Amino acid sequence: MSTDETKLARVALTWLAEPGTRSVYALVEQIGPVGALDLLLSGGAPERTLRSAVAARAAAGDARAVAAEALTRGERLGARLVTPDDDEWPAQVRDLRRLALSGATRRVDVETDPPLCFWVRGAWPLGETLAHSVAVVGARAATPYGSHVATELGYGLADREWTVVSGGAFGIDSAAHRGALTAGGRTVAVLACGVDRPYPMGNAALFDRIAETGLLVSEWMPGAEPLRPRFLIRNRVIAAATRGTVLVEAAARSGATQTLNRALGLRRHAMVVPGPVTSAMSVGGHEVLRERPDARLVTNLAHVLEEVGRIGYDLTPPARAPERPRDRLDEEATQVLEALPRRRALDLESVAARAGVDLRTAMRKLSLLEELAMVVRRDGGYALAPPPASPT
Amino acid sequence: MSTDETKLARVALTWLAEPGTRSVYALVEQIGPVGALDLLLSGGAPERTLRSAVAARAAAGDARAVAAEALTRGERLGARLVTPDDDEWPAQVRDLRRLALSGATRRVDVETDPPLCFWVRGAWPLGETLAHSVAVVGARAATPYGSHVATELGYGLADREWTVVSGGAFGIDSAAHRGALTAGGRTVAVLACGVDRPYPMGNAALFDRIAETGLLVSEWMPGAEPLRPRFLIRNRVIAAATRGTVLVEAAARSGATQTLNRALGLRRHAMVVPGPVTSAMSVGGHEVLRERPDARLVTNLAHVLEEVGRIGYDLTPPARAPERPRDRLDEEATQVLEALPRRRALDLESVAARAGVDLRTAMRKLSLLEELAMVVRRDGGYALAPPPASPT
């Protein structure tokens, strides 16, 4: 069988049945793409739903001719087809074989097998680009807060030479891509339609920039329409292709939370940026954090790198308030310092009594505090030193 | 031994050594308050630090006389002393006996034994008021967001007949109390100074309102000063007296996060309200959520009630987007609906091909969608129904 015949069969199969269909992927595994295509076209699909879906599609056109036309069209617009036979195939998407979403009943949650092929626009090899990648996903109707956070994360990840992966929607997706582009890094938009089809139209210029410096990727052939279920079908690829997924903002029961569920199902790092509880756009993320103990709350780039980073790299120190001189005092010195009233001076005996230490200790600690310029002698006693003047 | 003598001894002991001191509590358990006081005053404290603390205090005054004066002063201003011998003693604070904070080295983290007594202003019985209570704690330097959330929680809890418990600080503490007062419910301020000492002064009116309809509570005698370590000593009581603690806003390494750590150490419900990652006032809460898997993220009253509520009551449904008519469609009807383009009409064959269903199924589902007014016939084919006019 020629490579071209195999490629053509993969494209035709993706047109006949939506990507992810388990019985199609299983057939391809068993008898190869060409055999699988022959079987489907001769009405031999193993299950009824698939048979009627294939029949409906086949009634609308010749699958091989459609695929051949797509390959020509792809070539014309500079989109290449990448299949598992190519060196640049991202092997990690094969993990989708073992994805089983709990409580799945909808077709998009059940039919989550690996892609048969990818259409790619952009110069970088697909596999290498995705090997070291993090998905940043979230709502179309993002708030300025969410867009800000997604831009910062996109920028920071790209700046640390991680590839940013997202969809092509307005809101969080666009913000993450823009951040990565600003950092001069690589960003990948995984689309739910043909890579030649700017959807939404308003992102056409963004897609062109991404194709120049990163990659536009799709399972669907050039010209394919962004039908609604395709966004959810596509989401499994975003989760599977990356080391982890960060959810920035999402309404309850939204597509972005479902990308995160797929990441969780694949045992990829699933991260959520919290937000104000007064924002509807943070409800989805908070719900995931409440329901899934394996989802991790992240608030900044360091937290994300701590999750996905290589051991020994990219580790984050815990958040700390700035150190103050008094943090270095021992317990008794602290007690003595805290026994001094805000304004008045106190004699030695009163300081000792208030601090609950003996006179000798009080005297020793007051001397230390004097040396540290935290205490001054005044009115025959001891008082807090005035705060240092602010720098001018 | 008379009741009065025992009460006096408890007050004197609290004056000689800060509340929570483990060796003092152990002595009281072994030989009673009067015996413990005699022993300490005769220089027989079991450990050096305590001995010198007691000696320093004793040098400043006669412990029994100080205690007697405090009792008189308390009576004059309407503050009563409550001890474990009283019916209204909140028994749950005894759990502090088994509080062991991991990695504790500071005195306030080690000396966390139960209180010896409480000073109380307000009409309600202390134990009954605290039996069904939730602490709402957080930063003094709260943001408008944090204050809003704390007020809402205080209101909601009081409205559901839970007692709100907090400190007396500006910011989150005050917001929680105000919310509870607005709901006409009970709220309790646990102070780190005498119940006759409005600290901060700006909250004097608030304290008066709390004393009228709720309770002002302190371990320290009337007139006692709010020394800095006392806030942390006090925090163990807020954690122990309540069913659970909600942290609304806190900077990294703040007193409020330490109240939450005490709740965690006591296996009380520890809850955190997340916030914008761009806010310094949410850093402390987010860190707790990252570090302590037993801390629970909560975003609203229902979540809090779900944690602390009685089984069968106060349970919350998961967050949901409002149901849309299309949510009730079956899989194939959804596919057919989604196959229709935004503006154009399509013929039956095209609909079937795009939806990936056979002609018969397409026709059946299109009829159903027509009945539901989601699809209309137009231009010899099928099209999406125009959206319903908004109500005016």
Side-chain angles (χ1 to χ4, degrees):
Chain A
M1 237 159 282
S2 78
T3 313
D4 285 357
E5 222 181 328
T6 316
K7 289 201 172 221
L8 192 88
R10 288 184 177 273
V11 175
L13 285 167
T14 305
W15 180 74
L16 281 175
E18 287 296 318
T21 306
R22 285 187 185 276
S23 55
V24 173
Y25 191 86
L27 268 184
V28 169
E29 290 270 282
Q30 284 158 33
I31 55 175
V34 175
L37 179 62
D38 286 342
L39 190 74
L40 290 198
L41 288 177
S42 65
E47 30 135 357
R48 193 194 66 84
T49 331
L50 179 59
R51 262 200 308 281
S52 55
V54 168
R57 282 300 191 128
D62 176 321
R64 283 202 181 77
V66 170
E69 196 194 309
L71 284 162
T72 311
R73 184 166 171 178
E75 209 164 325
R76 207 169 53 231
L77 60 91
R80 65 188 181 276
L81 186 75
V82 177
T83 75
D85 302 322
D86 296 308
D87 288 342
E88 62 171 305
W89 181 255
Q92 66 270 28
V93 298
R94 201 184 148 76
D95 291 349
L96 286 165
R97 271 304 258 168
R98 54 176 177 74
L99 172 61
L101 295 166
S102 63
T105 52
R106 296 181 309 172
R107 201 167 72 165
V108 288
D109 294 328
V110 173
E111 307 289 350
T112 54
D113 256 4
L116 295 177
C117 57
F118 283 119
W119 296 86
V120 180
R121 267 181 71 196
W124 299 97
L126 181 62
E128 188 204 302
T129 304
L130 292 174
H132 203 61
S133 67
V134 174
V136 178
V137 302
R140 273 194 307 280
T143 70
Y145 163 71
S147 299
H148 167 78
V149 173
T151 305
E152 290 284 306
L153 284 178
Y155 183 95
L157 285 164
D159 189 48
R160 299 292 202 95
E161 300 189 355
W162 285 82
T163 299
V164 173
V165 175
S166 195
F170 292 135
I172 300 301
D173 291 8
S174 300
H177 290 306
R178 287 209 173 84
L181 290 169
T182 305
R186 276 189 256 183
T187 196
V188 174
V190 185
L191 305 179
C193 57
V195 291
D196 59 334
R197 241 190 115 106
Y199 179 84
M201 276 291 255
N203 268 350
L206 178 66
F207 293 149
D208 285 341
R209 282 186 66 199
I210 293 174
E212 273 163 33
T213 58
L215 299 174
L216 289 181
V217 175
S218 176
E219 295 177 81
W220 290 272
M221 62 177 57
E225 288 183 73
L227 300 179
R228 189 162 169 270
R230 289 185 173 164
F231 292 94
L232 288 177
I233 296 172
R234 178 275 317 264
N235 287 354
R236 81 195 197 294
V237 170
I238 292 179
T242 53
R243 204 74 83 79
T245 297
V246 185
L247 177 64
V248 176
E249 276 192 324
R253 199 186 53 171
S254 67
T257 62
Q258 292 172 17
T259 306
L260 208 71
N261 281 334
R262 281 151 177 71
L264 285 162
L266 290 161
R267 305 187 137 271
R268 300 281 195 270
H269 298 286
M271 294 160 274
V272 177
V273 175
V277 300
T278 44
S279 163
M281 281 301 124
S282 288
V283 172
H286 292 153
E287 281 302 315
V288 173
L289 285 172
R290 284 174 51 77
E291 284 160 18
R292 303 293 302 250
D294 39 352
R296 192 101 161 94
L297 183 152
V298 295
T299 72
N300 54 38
L301 177 67
H303 290 161
V304 174
L305 295 179
E306 189 185 317
E307 290 296 298
V308 300
R310 293 139 301 175
I311 291 171
Y313 286 79
D314 304 327
L315 289 180
T316 176
R320 284 204 158 281
E323 202 195 34
R324 295 157 303 177
R326 69 191 309 159
D327 294 337
R328 273 169 296 169
L329 299 177
D330 66 16
E331 184 98 32
E332 284 171 330
T334 306
Q335 283 166 240
V336 168
L337 185 67
E338 288 170 351
L340 291 171
R342 199 86 63 92
R343 290 183 199 85
R344 287 179 296 132
L346 277 187
D347 62 25
L348 179 63
E349 288 70 26
S350 306
V351 174
R354 286 166 58 112
V357 300
D358 56 43
L359 282 179
R360 181 198 291 274
T361 306
M363 203 179 318
R364 226 172 44 233
K365 297 305 175 186
L366 282 166
S367 307
L368 170 73
L369 292 167
E370 244 187 290
E371 272 173 45
L372 294 171
M374 298 169 84
V375 161
V376 292
R377 283 177 198 256
R378 209 179 67 202
D379 309 338
Y382 297 85
L384 288 175
S390 324
T392 48
Chain B
M1 237 157 285
S2 78
T3 314
D4 285 356
E5 222 181 327
T6 316
K7 289 202 173 220
L8 192 87
R10 288 184 177 272
V11 174
L13 285 167
T14 306
W15 181 73
L16 282 175
E18 288 296 317
T21 305
R22 286 188 185 274
S23 54
V24 173
Y25 191 86
L27 269 184
V28 170
E29 292 268 283
Q30 284 157 32
I31 57 175
V34 175
L37 178 62
D38 287 340
L39 190 74
L40 290 197
L41 289 176
S42 65
E47 31 137 356
R48 194 195 65 85
T49 332
L50 181 58
R51 259 198 311 279
S52 55
V54 168
R57 281 300 189 131
D62 175 321
R64 282 200 181 82
V66 169
E69 196 195 310
L71 284 161
T72 312
R73 184 167 172 179
E75 209 164 323
R76 209 170 50 233
L77 61 90
R80 65 188 181 276
L81 186 76
V82 177
T83 74
D85 301 322
D86 295 309
D87 287 341
E88 62 171 305
W89 181 256
Q92 66 271 27
V93 298
R94 202 184 146 76
D95 292 349
L96 285 165
R97 271 303 259 168
R98 54 174 177 74
L99 172 60
L101 294 167
S102 63
T105 53
R106 295 181 310 170
R107 202 166 70 163
V108 289
D109 295 328
V110 174
E111 307 290 349
T112 54
D113 256 5
L116 295 177
C117 56
F118 284 119
W119 296 87
V120 179
R121 268 180 72 196
W124 299 98
L126 182 61
E128 187 204 301
T129 304
L130 292 174
H132 202 63
S133 67
V134 174
V136 178
V137 302
R140 274 193 306 279
T143 70
Y145 163 71
S147 298
H148 167 78
V149 173
T151 305
E152 290 282 308
L153 284 178
Y155 183 96
L157 284 164
D159 189 49
R160 299 291 202 95
E161 299 188 358
W162 285 83
T163 299
V164 172
V165 175
S166 192
F170 292 135
I172 300 302
D173 290 9
S174 301
H177 291 306
R178 287 211 173 85
L181 290 169
T182 306
R186 274 190 259 183
T187 195
V188 175
V190 185
L191 305 178
C193 57
V195 293
D196 59 334
R197 241 190 115 105
Y199 178 84
M201 276 292 252
N203 268 350
L206 178 65
F207 293 148
D208 285 340
R209 280 186 67 200
I210 294 174
E212 275 162 33
T213 58
L215 298 174
L216 288 181
V217 175
S218 177
E219 294 177 83
W220 290 271
M221 62 178 56
E225 288 183 74
L227 299 178
R228 190 163 168 268
R230 290 185 173 162
F231 292 94
L232 288 176
I233 296 172
R234 180 272 319 264
N235 287 353
R236 81 195 196 295
V237 171
I238 293 179
T242 52
R243 204 75 82 78
T245 296
V246 186
L247 176 65
V248 177
E249 275 192 324
R253 198 185 55 168
S254 67
T257 61
Q258 292 171 16
T259 307
L260 209 71
N261 282 335
R262 281 153 177 68
L264 285 161
L266 289 161
R267 305 188 137 274
R268 301 279 195 271
H269 299 284
M271 296 159 272
V272 177
V273 175
V277 300
T278 45
S279 164
M281 281 301 123
S282 288
V283 171
H286 292 152
E287 280 302 314
V288 173
L289 286 171
R290 284 175 52 77
E291 283 159 20
R292 303 293 302 250
D294 38 353
R296 191 100 162 95
L297 184 152
V298 295
T299 73
N300 55 38
L301 176 68
H303 290 161
V304 175
L305 295 180
E306 188 184 317
E307 289 297 297
V308 300
R310 293 138 300 176
I311 292 171
Y313 285 80
D314 302 326
L315 289 181
T316 175
R320 286 203 158 282
E323 203 194 36
R324 296 158 301 181
R326 68 190 310 160
D327 294 337
R328 272 169 294 169
L329 298 177
D330 67 16
E331 184 98 34
E332 284 171 330
T334 306
Q335 284 166 239
V336 168
L337 185 66
E338 288 169 351
L340 290 170
R342 200 84 65 88
R343 289 183 200 84
R344 286 178 298 130
L346 278 186
D347 63 26
L348 179 64
E349 288 71 23
S350 307
V351 173
R354 287 167 58 111
V357 299
D358 56 42
L359 282 180
R360 180 199 290 275
T361 305
M363 203 179 317
R364 223 171 48 230
K365 298 304 175 185
L366 283 167
S367 307
L368 170 72
L369 292 167
E370 244 187 289
E371 273 172 45
L372 293 172
M374 299 170 82
V375 160
V376 292
R377 284 177 197 255
R378 208 179 68 204
D379 309 336
Y382 297 86
L384 289 174
S390 325
T392 48

